[in-house]
Amino acid sequence: MSSTVGQVIKCKAAVAWEAGKPLVIEEVEVAPPQANEVRVKILFTSLCHTDGQTPLFPRIFGHEAGGIVESVGEGVTDLKPGDHVLPVFTGECKECRHCKSEESNMCDLLRINTDRGVMLTDGKSRFSINGQPIYHFVGTSTFSEYTVVHVGCLAKINPAAPLDKVCVLSCGISTGLGATLNVAKPKKGQSVAVFGLGAVGLAAAEGARIAGASRIIGVDLNPDRFEEAKKFGVTEFVNPKDHDKPVQQVLADMTDGGVDRAVECTGSIQAMISAFECVHDGWGVAVLVGVPNKDDAFKTHPMNLLNERTLKGTFFGNYKPRTDIPGVVEKYMNKELELEKFITHSVPFSEINKAFDYMLQGKSIRCIITMGA
């Protein structure tokens, strides 16, 4: 790989020129990494709903991926060319108060920022086409055969791990898994309700399965999702539309007063309230994962809290990207965590727009895109 070090690399990237339009495969120029940056050859990338939600164009989306370090900028000591990495949309500088706290993963320097389209080092983009800058997305921009990422947003992983599988751990799957394992923390034999059975919710269910939950109740408005969810340990299903009483009441009736843990993965404010109100008094814990609309307000009676229910929120499953994600990869390597069942489709890079169609039609949990194909 050494021949490209310090040089501009020309490669293919899927560029979003404007909102709502298909991505266009273009030849882009990728500048060498500056201080604290790393240039990565992306081998596999995956799609997530966040790709495409932005006001800034032209842009290269993509934030769930796996790749190999091509070169490193000045001051980078943790990574070297040839290392296998997962780029992550949020980071870990290891210096700020959040990074130094065992309780937080919300790095001050590298926390997700969907509006910023440039690198922190110099406020410029590393991508261009004929001199025109193409903006970055959440610091990763993995819909490009090469990308430049801040060292704090790269998890160095076991080189034996198959990148076409573990790439899904760099966003949604870790978010759901960690919401259950790190935040809800169900005890063996407890009951867990999961609201929303998309990729994140299925990962939350997988976390409950790994934790040894006795009952995993999936709550979703789409009954087509129920059969698939059984593979992730879901034992029972509730469709709120099938009942004429609030779903929290349905769940309380099913579980002798409430579930032990609930994980909300939809972003619907009503689901958030239901998830909190369906947990058992005395010990129940509800965890919010889904992102609400900006004007939403959470309303519940304070007695629900006074009766010893706990409400928590999480960001990226409370995982610190550099410290913790390598360990999640090891859970897959030692067969504790199953990833194959999350991957329902695969397409070559030239057909990336097809992957968006699968996602928008609700057909795919995760679609893997093979770069260079």
Side-chain angles (χ1 to χ4, degrees):
M1 284 194 189
S2 57
S3 63
T4 53
V5 173
Q7 307 292 313
V8 169
I9 290 179
K10 288 187 175 181
C11 70
K12 287 191 168 64
V15 177
W17 289 100
E18 52 185 307
K21 292 282 166 70
L23 305 183
V24 183
I25 306 281
E26 306 274 12
E27 184 178 82
V28 299
E29 296 191 338
V30 186
Q34 302 298 310
N36 298 316
E37 295 172 4
V38 178
R39 190 159 58 182
V40 178
K41 179 177 187 172
I42 299 293
L43 299 186
F44 300 96
T45 188
S46 164
L47 271 198
C48 171
H49 278 280
T50 333
D51 290 312
Q53 297 173 5
T54 166
L56 189 63
F57 294 95
R59 206 164 203 186
I60 296 171
F61 288 119
H63 66 281
E64 263 193 16
I68 297 176
V69 173
E70 174 268 339
S71 61
V72 301
E74 185 191 327
V76 175
T77 54
D78 294 13
L79 291 170
K80 61 186 187 307
D83 283 344
H84 287 219
V85 289
L86 301 183
V88 183
F89 64 91
T90 187
E92 182 185 353
C93 72
K94 298 196 173 180
E95 300 295 323
C96 70
R97 281 169 62 195
H98 284 276
C99 286
K100 288 184 169 164
S101 161
E102 284 177 16
E103 298 179 66
S104 176
N105 65 341
M106 299 185 72
C107 175
D108 277 329
L109 182 70
L110 300 169
R111 190 182 304 186
I112 184 171
N113 181 333
T114 51
D115 297 333
R116 188 172 60 232
V118 292
M119 299 303 287
L120 286 170
T121 316
D122 58 2
K124 292 180 180 161
S125 173
R126 303 286 170 261
F127 298 111
S128 60
I129 296 178
N130 301 325
Q132 178 189 2
I134 309 293
Y135 293 111
H136 295 254
F137 176 66
V138 297
T140 53
S141 291
T142 62
F143 295 167
S144 175
E145 291 172 331
Y146 285 86
T147 188
V148 177
V149 181
H150 191 286
V151 65
C153 298
L154 290 167
K156 179 183 173 181
I157 63 161
N158 182 342
L163 287 171
D164 61 335
K165 307 288 189 291
V166 298
C167 66
V168 300
L169 289 172
S170 64
C171 179
I173 309 307
S174 292
T175 296
L177 188 73
T180 304
L181 293 177
N182 299 336
V183 189
K185 295 183 177 166
K187 297 180 172 69
K188 196 172 169 57
Q190 286 191 322
S191 59
V192 180
V194 176
F195 287 72
L197 297 174
V200 176
L202 292 172
E206 176 76 357
R209 183 191 69 76
I210 291 169
S214 59
R215 296 173 74 182
I216 304 173
I217 305 169
V219 182
D220 202 293
L221 294 167
N222 179 358
D224 297 345
R225 288 177 154 180
F226 293 168
E227 199 52 45
E228 184 87 58
K230 290 178 184 171
K231 296 180 199 165
F232 300 83
V234 178
T235 55
E236 297 150 80
F237 301 96
V238 174
N239 184 340
K241 287 195 283 202
D242 295 344
H243 302 272
D244 50 13
K245 56 186 172 184
V247 71
Q248 51 268 50
Q249 192 57 53
V250 175
L251 290 161
D253 294 347
M254 287 169 68
T255 54
D256 190 23
V259 293
D260 300 305
R261 302 287 186 264
V263 186
E264 191 289 318
C265 305
T266 71
S268 146
I269 193 72
Q270 195 47 59
M272 294 181 189
I273 295 166
S274 299
F276 175 56
E277 293 182 354
C278 81
V279 299
H280 205 289
D281 58 4
W283 62 79
V285 179
V287 179
L288 306 185
V289 184
V291 180
N293 294 322
K294 69 176 196 313
D295 299 328
D296 284 339
F298 186 97
K299 271 177 80 167
T300 191
H301 198 284
M303 279 315 296
N304 290 322
L305 286 154
L306 294 170
N307 287 337
E308 300 176 6
R309 291 178 184 86
T310 302
L311 178 63
K312 292 181 162 189
T314 177
F315 168 68
F316 192 50
N318 281 34
Y319 288 119
K320 290 178 184 274
R322 296 159 87 180
T323 303
D324 299 329
I325 294 303
V328 183
V329 170
E330 292 311 309
K331 274 192 202 298
Y332 167 74
M333 294 299 281
N334 63 31
K335 305 216 173 356
E336 203 182 326
L337 163 66
E338 297 166 13
L339 290 179
E340 282 78 3
K341 60 195 177 187
F342 287 98
I343 299 165
T344 51
H345 295 73
S346 58
V347 298
F349 187 40
S350 57
E351 293 175 23
I352 187 168
N353 288 304
K354 200 182 273 185
F356 272 93
D357 294 339
Y358 290 142
M359 181 177 75
L360 297 171
Q361 292 161 10
K363 288 180 181 169
S364 63
I365 301 174
R366 278 295 181 263
C367 177
I368 301 296
I369 298 153
T370 304
M371 305 303 285

